[in-house]
Amino acid sequence: MKKMERHELEYLTRSFPTPTYVFDARVLRERVRFLRENLPDGVGLCYAIKANPFIVGELEGLVDRFELCSPGELRICQELALPSEQFVISGVYKSPEVIAELTRSGGPIGAYTAESLSQLALLARLSEERRERLPVLLRLTSGNQFGMAEEEVRETIRNRASYPFLDFQGLQYFSGTQKTSLKRLRRELDYVQGVLRGLREEFGYEARELEFGPGFPVMYFASEEFDEAAFLAEFSELLRGMEEKPRLVLELGRSIAASCGVYLTRIVDKKSNHDQNYAIVDGGMNHLVYYGQSMAMKLPLCHAYPERSGEPEKWNLCGSLCTVNDILVKQLPLCGPQIGDVLVFENTGAYCMTEGISLFLSRALPAVVLLRDGGEAELVRGTLETYKMNMPQENGEKKGME
């Protein structure tokens, strides 16, 4: 990610409250361009909205599809007036009411995924009621709760004539994230190709599309070294060597979104206990969950603003939650940190704003700022109080126990 300029940090820290997420549309556009240039021509990109819903509008025209996994994500895309033919309606649970609403609307949908036989039955029933064909991707499981077993996929294709209003476009396959092993990706591609080959040879079925989630890795810590261009070059050779040739769409979330984000949190207190320096910040692990179990075990891509001179000392950065687990960084070298200084965490554009334990201690959700192409900053969501979520609703329905 392009490091944020000093004058930009000065403006952001002066103009907006902390903690704050800042998403840079310029970096986002450059990231998509990088992926396009380092992947084979004709490979489509599908953005998984769950990674960061705030940048969806900035991706219109940059990616080929948007993966939606909830009614809320659907509403976001509808409010932004994104073209519905680019929607992939996915998710391990599909609300029957929402799917029925979509099919009744008559608008074209890029694809519906079928993750189970019951989802398949729902899509079949709705398509028959409307007498309209629905485009379907059968999600092939990678060995977890997502998707259908290979034999169920085979039986579905074998009996596809019994689904006259379902258009089976192909398969969807996703097995995880943060994958740096090309051998693993080769095995996954070989497996999916084997399934496609079997469907063709046994049932005469030619898949027109494969939506594949490669789970490209993102580097979060200073000690990590990764030659992404070389990695993508080797992965591209794997794609070019595929014997099965359906249209290939890569479903990406973290890889697209991570680099465009920074998280700003301010030092609000500092102390020394038992020879350990502690800086308390107004954010916390409820905002930086993307580190997972590595939180506080490695040094993240983080620096202080303003930069101060002097001999660095080791500081433990702790958040505002009343739990000993709320440690963002251990032993971060800082030069004379002061109350009011801002810590800048990089590569925070994916998942931290959607996966955090937001309601713990009823602290407010951070503000969200979007940096536009011209460099202007727009507050797209102010600080959002969560305590109201624990308050009785006005005119709420009251029910007695009998």
Side-chain angles (χ1 to χ4, degrees):
M1 173 182 172
K2 174 185 76 70
K3 192 170 182 179
M4 194 165 286
E5 300 289 346
R6 179 184 177 89
H7 72 275
E8 293 175 322
L9 274 175
E10 181 179 356
Y11 172 74
L12 290 168
T13 56
R14 184 180 70 247
S15 304
F16 300 101
T18 56
T20 301
Y21 299 114
V22 181
F23 305 125
D24 194 329
R26 303 163 298 179
V27 175
L28 180 64
R29 182 168 286 102
E30 176 63 22
R31 176 61 184 171
V32 176
R33 185 195 65 78
F34 173 83
L35 290 170
R36 295 281 193 193
E37 290 181 351
N38 286 273
L39 292 168
D41 292 340
V43 172
L45 296 180
C46 176
Y47 177 62
I49 294 175
K50 59 181 176 288
N52 184 342
F54 292 99
I55 61 174
V56 172
E58 301 302 310
L59 286 168
E60 183 177 7
L62 298 182
V63 298
D64 304 282
R65 282 186 168 174
F66 297 92
E67 185 197 41
L68 293 63
C69 292
S70 73
E73 291 181 348
L74 172 62
R75 301 300 181 226
I76 290 170
C77 290
Q78 290 173 330
E79 288 291 323
L80 291 170
L82 296 180
S84 61
E85 59 268 24
Q86 294 184 354
F87 297 173
V88 178
I89 308 300
S90 192
V92 69
Y93 169 62
K94 293 178 174 63
S95 165
E97 295 78 13
V98 172
I99 302 302
E101 175 190 331
L102 272 179
T103 57
R104 284 195 302 267
S105 69
I109 297 294
Y112 297 85
T113 66
E115 296 219 16
S116 66
L117 293 178
S118 60
Q119 285 192 7
L120 186 67
L122 170 65
L123 294 171
R125 176 176 62 81
L126 293 173
S127 66
E128 290 178 8
E129 288 176 0
R130 298 290 299 173
R131 314 298 289 181
E132 293 181 2
R133 287 173 68 79
L134 297 181
V136 173
L137 291 171
L138 298 175
R139 179 162 184 176
L140 177 65
T141 187
S142 60
N144 48 37
Q145 73 268 40
F146 300 101
M148 303 167 66
E150 180 181 340
E151 186 54 39
E152 292 176 328
V153 170
R154 288 165 49 82
E155 284 302 303
T156 299
I157 294 301
R158 183 199 303 272
N159 299 317
R160 62 191 182 279
S162 61
Y163 302 99
F165 293 100
L166 294 185
D167 178 12
F168 294 106
Q169 295 184 338
L171 300 183
Q172 183 192 61
Y173 185 84
F174 180 81
S175 69
T177 188
Q178 291 292 80
K179 286 182 278 189
T180 58
S181 171
L182 286 160
K183 289 182 179 179
R184 178 179 174 184
L185 286 168
R186 181 191 296 275
R187 288 195 302 268
E188 293 177 355
L189 287 170
D190 287 346
Y191 169 64
V192 176
Q193 285 190 92
V195 174
L196 291 172
R197 188 180 308 115
L199 296 177
R200 185 184 71 254
E201 293 174 352
E202 295 183 53
F203 312 122
Y205 170 75
E206 289 280 357
R208 304 195 304 278
E209 181 172 315
L210 169 61
E211 185 177 297
F212 180 76
F216 290 154
V218 168
M219 299 298 106
Y220 288 124
F221 302 103
S223 60
E224 294 174 320
E225 295 183 2
F226 181 65
D227 188 340
E228 187 176 25
F231 177 86
L232 291 177
E234 291 191 55
F235 178 73
S236 295
E237 286 304 306
L238 294 181
L239 299 184
R240 294 187 184 98
M242 291 176 62
E243 295 179 1
E244 302 298 317
K245 300 292 185 182
R247 183 200 178 208
L248 184 63
V249 179
L250 299 182
E251 183 262 308
L252 299 169
R254 187 186 307 270
S255 181
I256 289 176
S259 62
C260 79
V262 298
Y263 171 71
L264 307 178
T265 183
R266 196 178 300 271
I267 296 175
V268 293
D269 201 357
K270 64 177 190 174
K271 64 185 78 172
S272 294
N273 291 338
H274 298 285
D275 298 322
Q276 291 287 314
N277 295 323
Y278 294 94
I280 310 300
V281 299
D282 57 4
M285 69 175 189
N286 49 332
H287 305 158
L288 285 175
V289 71
Y290 71 98
Y291 287 145
Q293 293 182 348
S294 294
M295 179 71 78
M297 297 174 64
K298 302 177 183 179
L299 292 182
L301 300 174
C302 172
H303 64 277
Y305 177 81
E307 298 180 5
R308 299 185 182 278
S309 59
E311 285 296 320
E313 295 180 297
K314 300 292 183 64
W315 286 80
N316 302 306
L317 302 186
C318 301
S320 297
L321 304 182
C322 292
T323 167
V324 293
N325 297 319
D326 192 6
I327 303 174
L328 300 184
V329 190
K330 285 184 177 179
Q331 304 299 293
L332 179 69
L334 292 174
C335 297
Q338 301 296 315
I339 293 175
D341 288 357
V342 172
L343 279 304
V344 182
F345 289 82
E346 300 176 13
N347 280 4
T348 58
Y351 289 109
C352 26
M353 79 299 303
T354 56
E355 284 191 344
I357 49 174
S358 303
L359 299 184
F360 188 56
L361 261 67
S362 297
R363 290 200 175 273
L365 296 180
V368 176
V369 174
L370 191 63
L371 289 181
R372 301 290 186 182
D373 279 349
E376 63 274 17
E378 178 185 351
L379 182 67
V380 296
R381 185 189 75 188
T383 300
L384 185 62
E385 296 293 347
T386 63
Y387 69 86
K388 296 180 181 179
M389 300 177 187
N390 197 40
M391 303 296 288
Q393 296 296 303
E394 291 185 8
N395 302 318
E397 181 181 1
K398 297 181 180 180
K399 294 184 178 180
M401 295 181 64
E402 296 181 359

